[in-house]
Amino acid sequence: YSGDFVDWGKNIGDGSTWRTLSKDEWVYLFETRTNAENLYKCGVTVCGKTNCLIIAPDGFTGTIADSYDATSWSAAETAGLVCLPPAGDRYSWGTQNDGIHGNYWTPDHASDSYSSFICVESNSFSTIFYEQRFCGLSVRLITDVK
């Protein structure tokens, strides 16, 4: 996120297929969509990886489990569930918080030095924070359904 670079997805393929979720889209997922509180779950174990965030699609009527093995996760993915693992972050002194929480960039920036991100922890998420753009946070790319 240096210079005028604002979206990781613009560097893939044709530059218009993939993109990073905006802060407004993250807020929609967690706060403003119908039944939002039942369409995500923090602290889920997926194939042995703990503290994952699971996000279900709009209209999902199932239940998000506390744990998935490979077989049950395959079925969950087919139902539209998405897993965001707690990848931690990287600063100039090294990496930290792997397996504890995940920070995911948005393409929105507050200034030339700071961009917004969401923080996912074992039992909660927080939107929206700002961090210096040189920090190494995770990126989750999406593509619009056509």
Side-chain angles (χ1 to χ4, degrees):
Y1 273 155
S2 63
D4 60 359
F5 180 66
V6 295
D7 191 342
W8 290 93
K10 300 297 181 189
N11 291 330
I12 295 177
D14 63 9
S16 64
T17 304
W18 294 95
R19 63 185 181 82
T20 310
L21 285 166
S22 71
K23 66 181 179 180
D24 290 340
E25 288 171 316
W26 284 111
V27 169
Y28 170 79
L29 286 174
F30 296 126
E31 297 175 5
T32 61
R33 65 181 170 154
T34 302
N35 201 28
E37 65 278 0
N38 295 314
L39 296 176
Y40 71 89
K41 190 172 195 175
C42 299
V44 177
T45 299
V46 177
C47 300
K49 183 72 169 178
T50 59
N51 294 328
C52 295
L53 167 67
I54 305 302
I55 302 173
D58 291 351
F60 180 76
T61 58
T63 301
I64 300 173
D66 292 329
S67 181
Y68 294 89
D69 61 15
T71 301
S72 60
W73 180 246
S74 180
E77 281 185 308
T78 299
L81 273 61
V82 174
C83 175
L84 299 180
D89 37 56
R90 180 197 45 80
Y91 292 92
S92 60
W93 58 85
T95 60
Q96 62 184 13
N97 300 313
D98 179 37
I100 298 170
H101 71 251
N103 295 321
Y104 291 87
W105 285 120
T106 78
D108 308 289
H109 59 276
S111 70
D112 288 342
S113 299
Y114 286 84
S115 286
S116 64
F117 71 96
I118 67 153
C119 177
V120 179
E121 300 187 76
S122 61
N123 59 358
S124 67
F125 74 92
S126 300
T127 59
I128 292 287
F129 289 108
Y130 293 92
E131 183 57 271
Q132 294 183 42
R133 296 172 73 182
F134 63 78
C135 297
L137 307 182
S138 297
V139 175
R140 181 60 182 213
L141 298 178
I142 62 163
T143 186
D144 294 321
V145 176
K146 300 190 186 218

